[in-house]
Amino acid sequence: MHNKMRLLHESTPLEFDGEVAKALQSDLNLKSNVINENTVLDLDAEIQTNCDKNVYRLEGSDQKDITTISQSAADDWYKGSKIYNAETGHMTVFDDENTKMFENFVRMMYKASTKAAFGMVKNPKDDVAYVVGYYCYDKPVTNDVAKVKANVGRYCIVDDGNGKGYNDCYNQRALTRHNERRQAHSGYVPLALDKDIARAIHALLTSEDFQGTISTQDRGDYANCGQNIFTLTDQTKQSQVSLTNMASDFWYDGKQHWNIPSGVPKVGLSDSQND
């Protein structure tokens, strides 16, 4: 949940910290009868120094499972994105309620934080659940505009209001990389971003029935375009695709298999290399 939301702002995925989670859940269990949004948790000094936390309170929790409660917490903490100005690092509405929303969002997105731990407890005296998220190494800073701006990026999905969006952050990065590579070859003509095609491709790639290929009849408005598709099966590296030039560089590496003067592939290539 968190990592999918972080990628929307170009924050690297968080890693789970089992030691912090164990200490957090143990303390929450001890305080289940008295817990509220202001309860001070007794975690060791290292955790307190290197981590900061979000707290979510949900009434009517008895009828909800853990996954639903966890998703509700993540959605609540993400609300601050609506009042965040990435160009300045400031929030756009100033009052106590929005300040809390803003700080929750900043902790959730903070790029320098690399690990996280979560705990949940239900107060047996009422129908209320509490979810606590800890963000660690580095500790998020919510009251320093320069650090917030450096660690919380803009929302990358550009939407025309009709649900037809595209990832502008990745498109701009890929476009820049492509033009850098093209500039190294004679007859260089820079590429420009076609936003309509970007929207169409984004819709297809994010559809539930996408099978990893785009057939000619599926292309619609971009039937006259050539296509490269980069596939990565290593799940530990998949998040890096949207945050780096991995795909663009992979495609460019094909130059070593191409005889530029003759305009034909070099001999001895396997079918997979030619593809």
Side-chain angles (χ1 to χ4, degrees), residues 210-231:
F210 178 64
Q211 299 297 319
T213 60
I214 303 175
S215 62
T216 302
Q217 58 265 33
D218 290 336
R219 294 189 198 175
D221 293 338
Y222 49 104
N224 294 321
C225 300
Q227 67 178 20
N228 283 347
I229 294 182
F230 175 76
T231 302

Side-chain angles (χ1 to χ4, degrees), residues 20-35:
V20 175
K22 182 178 179 180
L24 171 60
Q25 191 60 56
S26 177
D27 197 52
L28 288 174
N29 292 340
L30 290 173
K31 293 182 169 66
S32 62
N33 289 312
V34 297
I35 192 169

Side-chain angles (χ1 to χ4, degrees), residues 149-160:
K149 184 178 179 180
N151 281 280
V152 183
R154 67 184 176 96
Y155 182 63
C156 289
I157 305 301
V158 175
D159 196 326
D160 62 4

Side-chain angles (χ1 to χ4, degrees), residues 129-183:
Y130 291 89
V131 179
V132 181
Y134 266 78
Y135 307 92
C136 311
Y137 314 104
D138 288 341
K139 182 177 183 177
V141 177
T142 61
N143 59 357
D144 185 315
V145 173
K147 289 186 177 180
V148 170
K149 184 178 179 180
N151 281 280
V152 183
R154 67 184 176 96
Y155 182 63
C156 289
I157 305 301
V158 175
D159 196 326
D160 62 4
N162 295 316
K164 297 180 179 179
Y166 67 96
N167 189 322
D168 187 60
C169 299
Y170 183 73
N171 271 272
Q172 295 299 335
R173 180 186 300 108
L175 181 67
T176 298
R177 189 60 145 208
H178 274 62
N179 283 333
E180 288 174 353
R181 297 301 197 186
R182 288 165 68 92
Q183 193 171 18

